[in-house]
Structures are given as C-alpha cells and as structure tokens.
C-alpha cells in the first residue's frame, strides 16, 4: 500500500504481512481467495485493523484506500492479472 517492503529480517529477506478483508476467523469460503488478500508492511497492516479506513473498488482491478488520513491506489489480485505475467 505505502510502497515499503517491510523490514529486513536476520536472513536478509523482507518481512511483510497479509491482510484479509474478510477475516479467516469468519470461515467464509471467500476469505482465502487471492482477491481477499492484500500484501502490506507491518505498519499498514496495523492501520488496516485499527485506523479509520475507507475502501472503494475501482475499475481495472484497483482499490482506493483511504488509510490513516492518506489515499492510496493499489492493484487488486486477479486471475486476469496472473495471465499477464
């Protein structure tokens, strides 16, 4: 969301987290779908849970997130996006 790659672990790999819009605890079949998951830095992950947020779905597989007073546009996961890799 913010463009940060998280922080570097002892192994040298970046540490990131995943946010589920539909929580896994709800046992909803859609909760494990790729378009329900957003890869974020730890700080943005906490904001997604505890800060004031507004989420809008935009055309072209994009999300508009208003998070902690800032606005971000992120590309959503989709099978169509995977075909273009």
């Amino acid at each position: 969301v913010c463009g940060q790659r998280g922080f570097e672990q002892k192994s040298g790999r970046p540490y990131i987290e995943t946010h589920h819009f539909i929580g896994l605890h709800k046992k909803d079949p859609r909760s494990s779908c790729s378009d329900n998951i957003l890869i974020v830095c730890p700080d943005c992950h906490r904001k997604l849970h505890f800060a004031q947020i507004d989420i809008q779905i935009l055309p072209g597989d994009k999300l508009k997130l208003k998070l902690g007073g800032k606005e971000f546009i992120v590309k959503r996961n989709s099978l169509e996006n995977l075909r273009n890799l």
Side-chain angles (χ1 to χ4, degrees):
V1 172
C2 67
Q4 296 296 315
R5 291 184 42 130
F7 60 86
E8 189 174 306
Q9 299 179 68
K10 292 178 186 177
S11 66
R13 297 179 68 182
Y15 176 83
I16 56 170
E17 298 183 0
T18 55
H19 177 72
H20 295 81
F21 293 107
I22 301 170
L24 293 174
H25 68 281
K26 293 186 178 183
K27 299 186 181 181
D28 185 307
R30 299 170 297 165
S31 64
S32 61
C33 293
S34 66
D35 63 352
N36 183 52
I37 300 167
L38 187 63
I39 298 170
V40 293
C41 75
D43 191 42
C44 283
H45 193 199
R46 296 283 64 96
K47 288 178 185 176
L48 284 163
H49 281 282
F50 300 109
Q52 179 67 32
I53 65 167
D54 180 48
I55 302 171
Q56 293 178 315
I57 299 173
L58 301 175
D61 290 324
K62 293 183 181 176
L63 291 175
K64 179 194 257 185
L65 298 172
K66 291 183 181 176
L67 179 61
K70 295 183 181 179
E71 190 172 290
F72 303 94
I73 305 288
V74 295
K75 191 169 189 176
R76 296 178 68 201
N77 295 319
S78 74
L79 292 177
E80 188 61 37
N81 290 338
L82 293 175
R83 288 188 192 111
N84 296 325
L85 293 177

